């Protein structure tokens, strides 16, 4: 079930670091060490900026190596490795 897979991925991302390999829009492959763990993602101040539109097909994550938010499409994932 696709929803179960998405929920599992979000769960392991909240627990720690995950290495995700996916295909970028340009067709190249990207390997990204990322997380959604509150202990790793820096806290941000709430501002009056409008929220970005979030598609249910796309998952925004914190890129640990680039120290910034990145995202990928669920259907572009080639592999997931739980690293911590």
């Amino acid at each position: 079930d696709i929803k179960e897979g998405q929920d599992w991925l979000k769960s392991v991302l909240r627990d720690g670091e995950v290495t995700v390999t996916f295909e970028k829009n340009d067709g190249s492959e990207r390997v990204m060490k990322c997380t959604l763990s509150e202990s790793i993602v820096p806290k941000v101040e709430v501002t009056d900026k409008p929220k970005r539109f979030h598609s249910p097909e796309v998952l925004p994550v914190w890129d640990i190596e680039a120290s910034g938010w990145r995202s990928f499409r669920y259907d572009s994932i080639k592999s997931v490795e739980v690293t911590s």
Side-chain angles (χ1 to χ4, degrees), residues 67-81:
S67 295
W69 288 99
R70 304 291 185 270
S71 61
F72 52 82
R73 295 182 57 83
Y74 286 108
D75 61 6
S76 72
I77 297 172
K78 293 184 173 190
S79 69
V80 174
E81 179 186 345

Side-chain angles (χ1 to χ4, degrees), residues 10-38:
K10 290 178 195 173
S11 173
V12 296
L13 281 161
R14 282 191 294 268
D15 288 343
E17 296 179 14
V18 178
T19 300
V20 178
T21 303
F22 61 96
E23 186 174 317
K24 293 172 48 175
N25 289 339
D26 66 5
S28 64
E29 188 174 278
R30 167 97 150 85
V31 178
M32 178 170 51
K33 189 184 287 188
C34 52
T35 190
L36 291 174
S37 171
E38 291 182 8

Side-chain angles (χ1 to χ4, degrees), residues 3-65:
K3 174 93 170 80
E4 285 179 15
Q6 292 175 352
D7 290 345
W8 172 82
L9 180 56
K10 290 178 195 173
S11 173
V12 296
L13 281 161
R14 282 191 294 268
D15 288 343
E17 296 179 14
V18 178
T19 300
V20 178
T21 303
F22 61 96
E23 186 174 317
K24 293 172 48 175
N25 289 339
D26 66 5
S28 64
E29 188 174 278
R30 167 97 150 85
V31 178
M32 178 170 51
K33 189 184 287 188
C34 52
T35 190
L36 291 174
S37 171
E38 291 182 8
S39 65
I40 299 172
V41 176
K43 303 284 185 260
V44 293
E45 294 292 322
V46 177
T47 66
D48 291 333
K49 289 183 183 178
K51 287 192 169 217
R52 295 178 74 182
F53 172 75
H54 290 295
S55 165
E57 293 90 31
V58 176
L59 179 62
V61 295
W62 182 258
D63 182 331
I64 294 168
E65 294 168 339

